[in-house]
Structures are given as C-alpha cells and as structure tokens.
C-alpha cells in the first residue's frame, strides 16, 4: 500500500475555520468509502460513510464528497474545534469484506 | 456493551518468542479483522474472518496466524516474533448485511495492542 513514512501530511487550521481533508483512492471498483478519525493512542473511530452511488453525504458538522471520475474523496469539517485534532483516514471497500486504508492526514487545530 | 476489547495493551517480546493477542467483541458481529499500524502509516490488514471457524489472508499475513473458534473471539498469533513485527495491532469487527454490492461495512475498532520485539 501507499506509504508516507513517518511524516504524515498535516493540515493546520484556526479554530472556527472549515477544514477540508482530501484522499485519492486507487480502486475504481470500490463501492463504499468511510472516513475514520484516530486520536493519539486510540483506535480509529467512524465519522461518516458514503456509497459509490452518491456524490455527497452530510452528517453533523461533516460532509463527505465523492468524485468517482477522478477517484477522489474529501471530508469537510465545519467550524473546526480543538477536539477535531487527530489523524484522519479514508478507507475504501474493495468488495472482499475488508477495507483498504489510506495513509492518513494529521489535522491540527490552532486555538 | 464493551464493544471491541483487546488484550494485552502492551507487550515486549524477544526475537523468536511467541505470543497470542486476543480480541473480543460483544456486538454479535460476523466479521472480525486484525490490522497492524506502523508509525505515520495507515492500517494494513493482516487476516480477517467472515464467520466462526473461517479465516482469510489480508494484505500482510506472513508471520501471523489466526483462529476464530468462537464468534466473539478472534486470536492473532505470532509463532516466532521478529523485530519487523514491532507495531500497534488493532482488532475490528463489523456486522454482516444482505451480501449485495455496496453493503455498509462500518468497522468498530478496539483500543490497540502496542507490541515491541527486541
């Protein structure tokens, strides 16, 4: 799988701003996508999911956008809070009951 | 409900030693998974199980074995630990649905086991 070694891409935003985290996926046959949040020392936590027959899905303060043409997924977080600081992973379901995870983006929220 | 639990939380092994990591879930999920996560990287699938008594290889299965004797438990074994297996190990479980394409496959993760092999 893809790897960025020890240096995760980092997005730094001011508290209250909107955040956009991007993810490129690899398999055009993937039919289901999930965004996970992982805080330091914890396991990943589900944020939001989207099926391939949708372009957009909204949750509480979060929106996921899917562009199948360019195999791109994004997570938008509205009014980012310090508690949103974490590493965010996108994951794709390649149809074999298992997920393939991206390498993650670290979100840092400045007070 | 406790969700997904893992034991132990931490372990240090010497090269060549063996150990078993235990994962338990109380959500009656059919599917269970073992992942490893190395520093600054995403999770990589080691093995998974689609039901009691069945297991399958994931992306990085070499050096590991698994067993699913009971629906609620999924064990990960290292027969002869190597320094390359130093990692954080996560177990996850998910429910099964109709089997149609596009099934929801939200996975619930345990807190992780930090393993160091010297």
């Amino acid at each position: 799988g893809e790897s960025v070694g020890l240096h995760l891409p980092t997005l730094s935003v001011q508290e209250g701003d909107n955040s956009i985290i991007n993810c490129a996926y690899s398999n055009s046959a993937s039919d289901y996508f999930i965004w996970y949040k992982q805080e330091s020392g914890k396991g990943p936590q589900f944020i939001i999911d989207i099926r391939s027959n949708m372009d957009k899905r909204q949750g509480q303060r979060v929106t996921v956008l899917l562009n199948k043409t360019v195999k791109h997924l994004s997570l938008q977080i509205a009014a980012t809070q310090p508690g949103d600081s974490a590493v965010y992973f996108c994951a794709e379901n390649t149809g074999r009951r298992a997920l393939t995870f991206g390498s993650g983006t670290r979100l840092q929220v400045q007070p | 409900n406790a969700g997904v639990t893992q034991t132990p939380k931490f372990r240090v092994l010497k090269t060549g030693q063996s150990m078993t990591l235990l994962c338990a879930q109380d959500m009656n999920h059919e599917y269970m998974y073992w992942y490893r996560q190395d520093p600054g990287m995403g999770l990589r699938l080691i093995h998974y199980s689609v039901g009691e008594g069945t297991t399958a290889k994931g992306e990085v299965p070499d050096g590991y074995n698994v067993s699913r004797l009971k629906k609620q438990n999924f064990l990960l074994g290292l027969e002869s630990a190597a320094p390359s297996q130093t990692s954080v190990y996560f177990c996850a479980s998910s429910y099964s649905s109709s089997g149609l394409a596009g099934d929801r496959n939200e996975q619930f993760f345990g807190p992780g086991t930090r393993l160091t092999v010297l």
Side-chain angles (χ1 to χ4, degrees):
Chain A
E2 57 184 307
S3 167
V4 293
L6 296 176
H7 302 289
L8 283 173
T10 299
L11 174 66
S12 186
V13 301
Q14 292 293 123
E15 182 177 357
D17 287 351
N18 296 334
S19 303
I20 300 177
I21 300 171
N22 296 304
C23 176
Y25 64 92
S26 55
N27 191 336
S28 57
S30 295
D31 53 15
Y32 176 67
F33 304 88
I34 305 180
W35 279 101
Y36 281 93
K37 172 186 180 183
Q38 187 176 25
E39 296 174 286
S40 181
K42 296 184 179 180
Q45 181 181 13
F46 173 89
I47 302 174
I48 191 168
D49 59 358
I50 188 168
R51 297 175 190 262
S52 60
N53 60 354
M54 303 170 70
D55 297 323
K56 178 179 180 179
R57 189 161 189 224
Q58 289 185 293
Q60 188 176 12
R61 281 202 307 120
V62 295
T63 301
V64 56
L65 299 177
L66 175 62
N67 185 330
K68 294 181 287 293
T69 302
V70 294
K71 292 189 286 187
H72 183 268
L73 201 64
S74 69
L75 176 70
Q76 300 178 1
I77 304 174
T80 313
Q81 303 168 359
D84 295 327
S85 293
V87 176
Y88 290 80
F89 293 97
C90 66
E92 57 184 303
N93 183 349
T94 55
R96 59 186 177 127
R97 299 291 176 196
L99 297 173
T100 300
F101 284 79
S103 52
T105 297
R106 186 181 307 279
L107 176 65
Q108 293 180 336
V109 182
Q110 309 296 331
Chain B
N1 288 350
V4 180
T5 58
Q6 293 182 233
T7 53
K9 288 185 169 54
F10 303 94
R11 186 70 186 268
V12 178
L13 290 178
K14 294 181 180 179
T15 297
Q17 287 185 317
S18 62
M19 78 162 295
T20 300
L21 282 68
L22 172 63
C23 175
Q25 53 93 5
D26 61 1
M27 297 173 281
N28 201 34
H29 285 169
E30 289 290 337
Y31 297 84
M32 296 188 75
Y33 314 84
W34 276 107
Y35 293 90
R36 61 177 288 174
Q37 185 176 37
D38 298 309
M41 296 180 68
L43 286 81
R44 292 185 292 169
L45 183 66
I46 304 171
H47 286 280
Y48 65 104
S49 169
V50 300
E52 182 179 327
T54 69
T55 63
K57 293 181 179 179
E59 180 185 356
V60 289
D62 294 342
Y64 305 94
N65 57 77
V66 288
S67 64
R68 184 97 181 270
L69 298 179
K70 294 183 179 180
K71 184 177 184 179
Q72 64 268 33
N73 296 336
F74 195 29
L75 279 63
L76 177 71
L78 286 74
E79 291 186 348
S80 179
S84 61
Q85 294 178 303
T86 294
S87 190
V88 180
Y89 291 85
F90 288 100
C91 176
S93 69
S94 66
Y95 49 82
S96 147
S97 54
S98 66
L100 296 174
D103 290 346
R104 178 169 173 152
N105 188 23
E106 178 187 349
Q107 295 184 13
F108 297 82
F109 284 83
T113 295
R114 185 172 296 276
L115 175 66
T116 302
V117 183
L118 302 176

